[in-house]
Amino acid sequence: MAAEPPPSFSYRTTGSTCLHPLSELLGIPLDQVNFVTCQLFALFAAFWFRSYLSPGKTSPDVRHVFATIFGIYFVIFCFGWYSVHLFVLVLMCYGIMVTASASNVHRYSFFVAMGYLTICHISRIYIFHYGILTTDFSGPLMIVTQKITTLAFQVHDGLGRKAEDLSTEQHRLAVKAKPSFLEYVSYLLNFMSVIAGPCNNFKEYIAFIEGRHIHMKLLEVNWKEEGFHSLPEPSPTTFPVTCLVDDWFVHKANFLTRLCYLYVVMQASKPKYYFAWTLADAVNNAAGFGFSGVDKNGNFCWDLLSNLNIWKIETATSFKMYLENWNIQTATWLKRVCYERVPWYPTVLTFILSALWHGVYPGYYFTFLTGILVTLAARTVRNNYRHYFLSSKALKVFYDIVTWAVTQLAVSYTVAPFVMLAIEPTISLYKSMYFYLHVISLLIILFLPIKPQAHNQRRPQTLNSVNKKKID
């Protein structure tokens, strides 16, 4: 009987083990090696897909089939038999898509997809013991859930609602016919986004597969140009998050040291997201799906599926600006399926859905609750004091520097539970920090006057939806 490989952090994976020697050589966990390998292979496959399976050379069905086969293979390679969860969810929701009425398809799809995802999130606590693996099957399952619900709502808009009840964007993205099985699985499991996303719209994906995507985007801006008719990955031992709850950090380090170290640890946790989302963006762009139209200067834009803006994140001078440029497509999904559609408490319900979508680890909800306080406090301070610093350039620069530092530290404080996941380390960390941001935020909210914002930032509503008392 062959001896099993020695247990080690780098060997742990739910997918293929054929790259175990490379994992050992590089000292990188095997699940991460598999993920990067698939994404790099996807990048080369995207160039091949665009060059040799272009719409002018082959039929949409062939493009659908190859995009789906590659995607299924990548999922199995990375996640092994756990990939069955994706296939089960896709098949269940396609059954709902073809059997449910247009007036209910979005409801059934939403609750089944979110329910299945939540059950899987709960199981991860027992399977992975608070995130020992940095990549697992829930990642693509979360992306598939976004796509399933996005498509279901857009089918509902196209077949179950009156055109006059739709917003401009809902009308543009509405799907007028239920997709075929091949279109459905291709949209959900294609190799360009199945591993790391981002979420995209069904109508735009079909246009891309059929070769109408670029022309459609040019028409959106009335393009009439002649000829157009038709940071490195950090070592896990360099800045370990576990140090945030070490005895030295909690009982001996001074407050400023704790604050600075918290910032460094949170910064070290971001490059893996930057790498994964930038690479996923590159894969879609290489295939030709990232084209978003033409800017006001006539330049072609390739940010249709961009999931982050690193420069704006790192230079953000407000909590709102930071969040708007992080995981952009997920924020768009939340807006489309929740914020624009619920009749009451849209902000709170959107935050709740975001937390539930991410999983059931307690740390997610600590981040969610803290984020509400910080968002309200930051908005109050901005509305009360920002106008005093706009009278001169020097004051504005000073204001930007201070708000940048405050924003970066506030984000680090807020998202720390998101990284630590469990209750005990989160409480230990916040106790060591004297719950300072919670206290300051509460004091600001309670004692500063609430002034109206400089401009109306209410969510857009159609005339027919203002007085609606039910969810569409």
Side-chain angles (χ1 to χ4, degrees):
M1 183 176 179
E4 294 184 357
S8 66
F9 182 77
S10 62
Y11 184 73
R12 294 180 64 85
T13 184
T14 58
S16 173
T17 59
C18 67
L19 297 178
H20 177 238
L22 179 61
S23 170
E24 291 291 321
L25 177 64
L26 298 175
I28 299 175
L30 180 54
D31 63 301
Q32 295 182 24
V33 172
N34 286 347
F35 169 82
V36 173
T37 299
C38 279
Q39 285 298 83
L40 290 176
F41 188 82
L43 183 59
F44 289 107
F47 284 111
W48 176 84
F49 187 78
R50 185 179 185 184
S51 299
Y52 296 98
L53 290 181
S54 64
K57 296 180 180 179
T58 190
S59 69
D61 285 350
V62 172
R63 283 167 60 84
H64 278 307
V65 168
F66 274 86
T68 306
I69 290 175
F70 283 165
I72 291 174
Y73 177 77
F74 290 163
V75 170
I76 295 174
F77 184 87
C78 283
F79 308 106
W81 73 268
Y82 284 111
S83 57
V84 169
H85 287 292
L86 266 78
F87 308 143
V88 168
L89 180 58
V90 169
L91 292 176
M92 288 171 55
C93 289
Y94 184 71
I96 293 172
M97 178 61 66
V98 297
T99 58
S101 65
S103 60
N104 290 312
V105 64
H106 61 308
R107 293 189 178 95
Y108 298 154
S109 295
F110 181 87
F111 286 112
V112 168
M114 284 300 302
Y116 194 92
L117 176 65
T118 300
I119 291 172
C120 289
H121 276 320
I122 294 172
S123 72
R124 286 174 65 223
I125 295 178
Y126 302 99
I127 296 173
F128 296 122
H129 304 291
Y130 281 89
I132 289 176
L133 293 177
T134 56
T135 57
D136 61 76
F137 71 94
S138 69
L141 195 65
M142 292 162 71
I143 298 300
V144 165
T145 297
Q146 286 187 343
K147 290 185 175 183
I148 287 172
T149 53
T150 295
L151 175 55
F153 274 99
Q154 291 171 352
V155 168
H156 169 63
D157 289 341
L159 299 177
R161 297 177 67 189
K162 296 179 180 179
E164 57 266 25
D165 291 338
L166 303 179
S167 68
T168 301
E169 184 182 64
Q170 289 170 353
H171 187 272
R172 178 177 66 86
L173 298 174
V175 177
K176 301 294 186 179
K178 291 186 176 182
S180 68
F181 179 72
L182 180 59
E183 290 174 333
Y184 193 80
V185 296
S186 175
Y187 170 63
L188 297 178
L189 301 176
N190 69 82
F191 74 94
M192 295 174 291
S193 58
V194 69
I195 298 296
C199 178
N200 49 69
N201 297 298
F202 178 79
K203 197 170 183 179
E204 292 174 337
Y205 178 74
I206 295 301
F208 157 72
I209 289 292
E210 295 178 352
R212 298 180 287 104
H213 170 66
I214 292 179
H215 181 66
M216 181 177 71
K217 288 299 175 182
L218 292 175
L219 289 179
E220 287 180 5
V221 293
N222 296 317
W223 180 257
K224 298 178 180 180
E225 186 74 16
E226 185 177 356
F228 285 90
H229 304 292
S230 20
L231 292 155
E233 185 76 16
S235 166
T237 59
T238 303
F239 299 108
V241 70
T242 53
C243 281
L244 296 178
V245 292
D246 282 353
D247 182 72
W248 169 84
F249 184 88
V250 174
H251 299 293
K252 298 179 182 179
N254 60 55
F255 179 79
L256 184 59
T257 300
R258 294 171 191 168
L259 196 60
C260 292
Y261 191 83
L262 174 63
Y263 172 73
V264 171
V265 170
M266 292 301 102
Q267 285 294 103
S269 69
K270 290 194 291 188
K272 62 183 178 183
Y273 296 102
Y274 289 174
F275 175 79
W277 288 337
T278 301
L279 187 57
D281 190 14
V283 169
N284 283 279
N285 284 352
F289 188 25
F291 182 69
S292 59
V294 182
D295 65 18
K296 61 182 180 181
N297 297 319
N299 299 315
F300 290 167
C301 298
W302 288 85
D303 58 357
L304 178 69
L305 301 176
S306 294
N307 219 12
L308 79 168
N309 186 316
I310 297 175
W311 174 254
K312 289 185 178 180
I313 288 171
E314 297 299 339
T315 60
T317 57
S318 69
F319 207 72
K320 179 178 180 290
M321 179 179 175
Y322 194 105
L323 295 179
E324 285 179 346
N325 291 283
W326 174 273
N327 208 353
I328 296 169
Q329 302 305 326
T330 292
T332 302
W333 170 69
L334 290 168
K335 182 190 74 171
R336 286 173 179 162
V337 306
C338 184
Y339 188 83
E340 292 182 340
R341 297 176 186 269
V342 295
W344 17 248
Y345 304 118
T347 300
V348 174
L349 291 177
T350 300
F351 270 112
I352 291 174
L353 176 58
S354 177
L356 184 62
W357 177 76
H358 278 98
V360 294
Y361 289 123
Y364 296 158
Y365 297 87
F366 275 98
T367 292
F368 157 67
L369 293 173
T370 305
I372 292 178
L373 291 176
V374 173
T375 300
L376 294 176
R379 184 183 300 163
T380 301
V381 171
R382 180 182 178 87
N383 292 342
N384 277 276
Y385 295 109
R386 184 175 183 270
H387 59 278
Y388 292 121
F389 295 88
L390 302 181
S391 57
S392 71
K393 185 175 181 180
L395 284 175
K396 180 61 167 60
V397 170
F398 172 78
Y399 177 85
D400 287 342
I401 293 173
V402 171
T403 52
W404 170 83
V406 170
T407 297
Q408 300 301 320
L409 292 176
V411 169
S412 298
Y413 181 96
T414 302
V415 303
F418 196 97
V419 177
M420 295 188 292
L421 301 178
I423 295 177
E424 294 82 4
T426 296
I427 296 297
S428 178
L429 171 66
Y430 280 161
K431 285 177 65 178
S432 73
M433 308 290 289
Y434 312 115
F435 290 91
Y436 84 95
L437 193 57
H438 292 87
V439 173
I440 293 174
S441 297
L442 281 172
L443 291 175
I444 291 173
I445 294 169
L446 292 174
F447 295 107
L448 277 184
I450 300 176
K451 292 186 177 182
Q453 299 184 49
H455 54 82
N456 187 9
Q457 292 181 337
R458 294 180 57 196
R459 62 188 180 135
Q461 295 177 308
T462 62
L463 291 176
N464 291 339
S465 67
V466 170
N467 296 317
K468 276 196 172 183
K469 301 300 181 184
K470 65 178 182 178
I471 301 175
D472 287 312

